Amino acid sequence: MVKQSVTWLNGQLLPTEQATVPVNDHGLLYGDGVFEGIRFYKRRAFRLQRHLQRLQLSARAIALAIPLSTEELNAVIERLIEAFADDDGYIRLMVTRGAGPLGLNPNSCSQPNVIAIADQLTMIAIAEQQAGARLIVSSVRRLPADGLDPRIKSLNYLNHILAKIEANHAGADEAILLNAQGRVAEGTADNIFLVRDGRLLTPPCSEGALEGITRELVLKLAQDNGIETREQPLGVYDLYAADECFLTGTGAELIPVASIDCRSLPGCPGPVFQRLQQAFRRIIDQECGVVL
């Protein structure tokens, strides 16, 4: 069994440091490709079909033909999990446009590369998660949907990286991106939820938020647990006035927020977050637990 990060690359299973792609791959040159992040627990991929469906939609949106079927991608993920050392981990599944001559035109890229990396991923250090993440509102704006639709999980995350750099410089754990209208969109790699007067609030995806799979699940868990939910536009004031705030994502899972722009929130972790986190863990156990 492989004892470190392991990569599946176009049919080969390799230690990650031995996996290579051509330097003229348009995924490297121009960020031309799509990806998914997938968690696995107890050697079972969580919500895999939903992730593969979103990968296909992202690829279709950028006119990229994935050379493997859904069934073949399932087999790749299963093989990668089997080769990984730990029972729990994270997979980054990518499809790049492939190698081609310099220049933006993708027509000369004849063979996409399919890459899947299994490793560990911690978005925010465990100690910071337990104490609650410290957030800032970034000056970097989320790209508008008429420029690049946020539903496409492309390999180009430069504006999110710039927001993360800003958070690093501020000594914060994460940054919140606003959209062009100055309303809340999302974090650099996560969706954002607020609680106010017992109601769970989150921006609609039309505000610039990714259609997060964990976001989708949290909304359903809230409804199943009798928590009123609203998808509505939110401003910076709503962040500051929240009773609770937390982040969600495949990489992030659920992370409570302690402060935003140095303004402490009343509850961290708050009661709504704790109920949803418990419900989230139950779903993982149900879908990925060992059946005896």
Side-chain angles (χ1 to χ4, degrees):
M1 181 175 293
V2 179
K3 293 296 183 183
Q4 67 269 7
S5 174
V6 60
T7 294
W8 188 98
L9 171 61
N10 298 327
Q12 280 190 294
L13 199 60
L14 302 163
T16 295
E17 64 271 16
Q18 296 178 20
T20 60
V21 295
V23 295
N24 61 341
D25 188 309
H26 278 216
L28 171 63
L29 292 176
Y30 307 111
D32 187 0
V34 295
F35 80 95
E36 280 292 320
I38 302 160
R39 285 276 182 191
F40 61 92
Y41 305 93
K42 299 180 182 178
R43 299 202 175 275
R44 295 188 183 183
F46 185 59
R47 302 267 155 148
L48 178 58
Q49 300 315 307
R50 182 69 183 86
H51 282 288
L52 295 181
Q53 178 190 45
R54 190 170 64 176
L55 182 76
Q56 294 282 358
L57 293 176
S58 292
R60 192 187 308 170
I62 68 167
L64 174 60
I66 299 177
L68 299 179
S69 68
T70 298
E71 291 73 21
E72 289 170 323
L73 289 172
N74 268 302
V76 168
I77 298 303
E78 289 177 4
R79 185 179 175 194
L80 200 57
I81 292 173
E82 183 181 354
F84 194 60
D86 297 328
D87 290 345
D88 299 350
Y90 176 86
I91 292 172
R92 174 62 53 89
L93 174 60
M94 297 169 282
V95 184
T96 72
R97 188 75 64 177
L102 298 179
L104 292 176
N105 193 340
N107 285 346
S108 56
C109 302
S110 60
Q111 184 58 47
N113 285 310
V114 180
I115 308 160
I117 305 169
D119 207 338
Q120 296 296 348
L121 175 68
T122 302
M123 299 290 293
I124 297 175
I126 299 300
E128 278 73 16
Q129 288 188 38
Q130 293 172 345
R134 299 160 298 162
L135 274 54
I136 62 164
V137 177
S138 175
S139 64
V140 179
R141 296 298 173 102
R142 182 67 167 93
L143 295 177
D146 60 356
L148 180 63
D149 196 298
R151 289 173 291 185
I152 301 171
K153 281 186 71 72
S154 81
L155 296 179
N156 193 327
Y157 259 53
L158 186 56
N159 69 322
H160 293 70
I161 292 168
L162 292 174
K164 189 67 174 181
I165 290 170
E166 193 172 20
N168 291 343
H169 288 169
D173 301 306
E174 176 60 308
I176 301 167
L177 288 85
L178 307 180
N179 61 22
Q181 292 72 41
R183 296 190 295 269
V184 176
E186 61 183 4
T188 65
D190 29 60
N191 292 110
I192 188 163
F193 283 85
L194 308 179
V195 178
R196 192 169 179 191
D197 298 328
R199 299 186 185 93
L200 186 66
L201 311 176
T202 196
C205 294
S206 57
E207 292 288 281
L210 175 73
E211 288 185 339
I213 291 171
T214 308
R215 173 188 183 275
E216 177 183 90
L217 175 57
V218 165
L219 285 170
K220 184 179 186 306
L221 291 174
Q223 293 163 4
D224 291 347
N225 283 270
I227 300 168
E228 182 181 347
T229 64
R230 292 184 185 175
E231 295 182 65
Q232 67 182 51
L234 300 170
V236 175
Y237 169 83
D238 297 300
L239 299 174
Y240 297 161
D243 299 321
E244 301 178 40
C245 177
F246 60 91
L247 306 171
T248 68
T250 298
E253 301 177 296
L254 274 64
I255 299 175
V257 172
S259 66
I260 303 172
D261 284 343
C262 297
R263 294 160 171 83
S264 297
L265 298 179
C268 181
V272 172
F273 170 84
Q274 293 181 71
R275 286 175 63 190
L276 290 171
Q277 187 180 51
Q278 291 168 4
F280 180 68
R281 289 294 166 191
R282 285 196 296 270
I283 288 292
I284 290 172
D285 287 342
Q286 290 170 16
E287 296 188 11
C288 300
V290 177
V291 179
L292 300 178

